Amino acid sequence: MPSDHANPQSATSSVDFEKVGSEYFQQRELKKGAAGWVLLVGLGVAYVISGDYAGWNFGLAQGGWGGMFLATLLMAAMYLCMCFSLAELSSMIPTAGGGYGFARSAFGPWGGFLTGTAILIEYAIAPAAIAVFIGAYCQSLFGIGGWMIYLAFYIIFIAIHIFGVGEALKLMFIITAVAALALGVFLVAMVPHFNVANLLDIPVKDAVGASPFLPFGYVGVWAAIPYAIWFFLAVEGVPLAAEETKNPKRDLPRGLIGAMLVLVAFALLILVIGPGGAGSNALMASGNPLVEALAKAYGGSTWMGSFVNLVGLAGLIASFFSIIYAYSRQIFALSRAGYLPRKLSETNKSKAPVLALVIPGIIGFGLSLTGQGDLLILVAVFGATISYVLMMAAHITLRIRRPKMDRPYRTPGGIFTSGVALVLACIAVVAGFLVDPRVVIGAAIIYGVLIAYFAFYSRHHLVAGTPEEEFAAIQKAEEALH
């Protein structure tokens, strides 16, 4: 059993690799060439578009409109810088592992595992939060919500993914386009009712720096950050489609950056026009804020409210559907490489990793039964921000240590750009503790359990020959030549 002991003092020491036969990889194949860059833009928007429909508004209760606005600007800057950096990394290392593969190349197996499991926490928890919001929309539309809705959506959309990725990606694109249309209808309908005074109608509290713009004071800006992240959370999952993309070195950067530009536009328009038409105070605790905003602005139920409610469900479905895809690919990559139980990466005749789809779905359904969408957001944001710190550190490390690596796309601004994202990600990690430290500590405990699994077991049973390990081997060989 060959071991990776190239540098006993580094984080790559004390891991053991097992060689496997070709049959192992034949049982773990994804469908090649299922997506081009346009579908990847749609996938990136699909991951996130539910954040425009529900969840962001809880930031109003933490920071007021001004606090949420400033937090959104900061997080938009972070995500833009991060997507430019991930575009470079994904063009260099186009594997289904995404962030795990990037950190594996920069920091070795330990770095890869820490990043991959942080991403996994994000993607496994986010659908549970979205399921709660879907339940709220269904309750408003049909009078039926709760666990039956959560279960039905998990079963239906996991089943579609099991059927095949090409069909799933095309369906996600259509659903996302419909959801974007509904956002357009909402914005047009709310513009005539816009009033600056509505943005600032939350009562001013007794806090340092409190004002109508920052009713909860300066600390409110920081506390609103996890909910500002909800406008963009999971767009970084586009590289997870690398092994199912026609031309990953070209298409992944286009998909990432294109999706992010669309999301920034939607986030700023929704945040300004929604509360500006209905009032920040009326929306800050709502489970379906866009529908309530229309009802408040128009004095009751209207066809526009019904349309946005009905089609808005498509936005929630798009994110729910696509993030299920994302968590399955992250689990697939980690399992194929031996970081998680190998059985999880086996694929069916449609090249779909069945257990990687089903098992997190069961866990997510159980979490959705709490009904605490706002707190589940915090858990997802914890995992996300940890992964952002590690991925941006990977970008900087690879730029410094391996400047001669082939980079089909190069990040504008280089390590300055990824450095800005790194600093803002560190701020975002701390922000979650300001909202509810118990929830974030709970998420950290889950992370610790996963780390213990790697430390005591799976690091001694890693698989040689996976795409991520092949990239690492090639890099070592090139370094030896220089």
Side-chain angles (χ1 to χ4, degrees):
M1 201 186 290
S3 299
D4 183 354
H5 290 293
N7 182 357
Q9 303 304 317
S10 74
T12 63
S13 63
S14 302
V15 295
D16 302 310
F17 289 97
E18 298 175 7
K19 291 184 177 180
V20 295
S22 59
E23 183 181 339
Y24 178 87
F25 293 107
Q26 290 169 2
Q27 295 170 343
R28 292 162 174 82
E29 291 181 342
L30 298 173
K31 188 175 181 180
K32 309 297 183 184
W37 74 268
V38 175
L39 271 182
L40 291 178
V41 171
L43 177 61
V45 175
Y47 282 144
V48 188
I49 199 167
S50 67
D52 293 314
Y53 281 94
W56 63 268
N57 53 299
F58 296 130
L60 299 172
Q62 298 295 329
W65 186 83
M68 183 60 182
F69 178 70
L70 293 176
T72 300
L73 291 180
L74 287 171
M75 292 302 98
M78 180 187 80
Y79 273 92
L80 278 168
C81 290
M82 184 171 70
C83 283
F84 282 123
S85 303
L86 292 178
E88 177 176 300
L89 290 169
S90 64
S91 73
M92 295 161 58
I93 310 167
T95 71
Y100 140 64
F102 309 151
R104 168 66 183 91
S105 292
F107 305 122
W110 268 100
F113 181 83
L114 291 172
T115 306
T117 47
I119 295 170
L120 185 54
I121 290 172
E122 171 192 358
Y123 289 154
I125 301 300
I130 297 168
V132 173
F133 300 136
I134 288 173
Y137 269 71
C138 287
Q139 186 70 48
S140 176
L141 271 173
F142 313 118
I144 303 173
W147 71 269
M148 290 184 293
I149 294 296
Y150 308 156
L151 181 61
F153 274 84
Y154 266 108
I155 290 174
I156 291 169
F157 291 110
I158 286 175
I160 292 172
H161 278 299
I162 290 173
F163 182 71
V165 66
E167 295 75 10
L169 286 175
K170 289 171 186 174
L171 181 57
M172 276 191 281
F173 189 85
I174 294 169
I175 295 172
T176 303
V178 172
L181 173 65
L183 288 179
V185 169
F186 169 79
L187 292 168
V188 170
M190 292 300 292
V191 165
H193 299 273
F194 178 82
N195 187 322
V196 173
N198 289 336
L199 298 172
L200 310 177
D201 67 350
I202 295 176
V204 178
K205 308 298 180 183
D206 183 17
V208 177
S211 66
F213 183 71
L214 296 174
F216 300 97
Y218 300 132
V219 73
V221 179
W222 207 341
I225 282 176
Y227 301 103
I229 286 175
W230 197 240
F231 272 130
F232 312 109
L233 183 84
V235 67
E236 75 280 1
V238 170
L240 294 170
E243 292 181 33
E244 294 152 289
T245 299
K246 293 175 183 176
N247 186 342
K249 292 184 178 182
R250 181 198 66 189
D251 293 342
L252 290 173
R254 289 182 180 183
L256 264 168
I257 296 167
M260 190 58 208
L261 293 176
V262 172
L263 292 168
V264 169
F266 273 139
L268 294 177
L269 288 169
I270 293 291
L271 181 57
V272 172
I273 293 175
S280 297
N281 199 42
L283 301 183
M284 65 183 188
S286 174
N288 53 353
L290 303 195
V291 176
E292 291 199 18
L294 287 166
K296 181 78 184 299
Y298 285 87
S301 179
T302 64
W303 73 266
M304 288 176 293
S306 299
F307 175 77
V308 170
N309 201 0
L310 180 61
V311 182
L313 193 57
L316 295 169
I317 290 170
S319 292
F320 182 79
F321 192 18
S322 56
I323 297 176
I324 287 174
Y325 168 85
Y327 76 55
S328 70
R329 270 43 182 186
Q330 187 66 74
I331 291 175
F332 168 83
L334 289 169
S335 167
R336 179 179 62 182
Y339 292 83
L340 295 178
R342 297 179 190 179
K343 194 75 175 173
L344 295 174
S345 54
E346 290 185 2
T347 52
N348 63 6
K349 292 181 180 179
S350 299
K351 306 300 182 184
V354 177
L355 291 178
L357 286 160
V358 172
I359 291 176
I362 294 171
I363 295 169
F365 169 68
L367 291 171
S368 71
L369 297 178
T370 64
Q372 301 294 315
D374 54 340
L375 298 183
L376 290 170
I377 287 175
L378 286 181
V379 179
V381 166
F382 169 81
T385 51
I386 293 291
S387 75
Y388 300 164
V389 169
L390 293 167
M391 288 190 292
M392 292 305 94
H395 180 272
I396 294 168
T397 299
L398 290 174
R399 272 292 186 104
I400 294 171
R401 292 184 182 173
R402 293 170 184 151
K404 295 184 179 180
M405 280 184 71
D406 181 37
R407 290 172 167 82
Y409 174 89
R410 295 183 71 87
T411 302
I415 62 174
F416 174 79
T417 300
S418 50
V420 170
L422 175 61
V423 171
L424 290 172
C426 290
I427 292 171
V429 171
V430 178
F433 289 90
L434 296 177
V435 181
D436 192 328
R438 296 170 301 172
V439 173
V440 180
I441 291 170
I445 291 171
I446 295 170
Y447 193 35
V449 170
L450 291 169
I451 292 170
Y453 171 78
F454 181 69
F456 292 107
Y457 178 75
S458 68
R459 70 187 175 94
H460 299 298
H461 301 276
L462 301 183
V463 176
T466 64
E468 294 82 11
E469 300 304 332
E470 288 296 311
F471 273 109
I474 291 169
Q475 289 162 23
K476 283 186 179 181
E478 290 177 345
E479 284 179 353
L481 291 174
H482 294 90

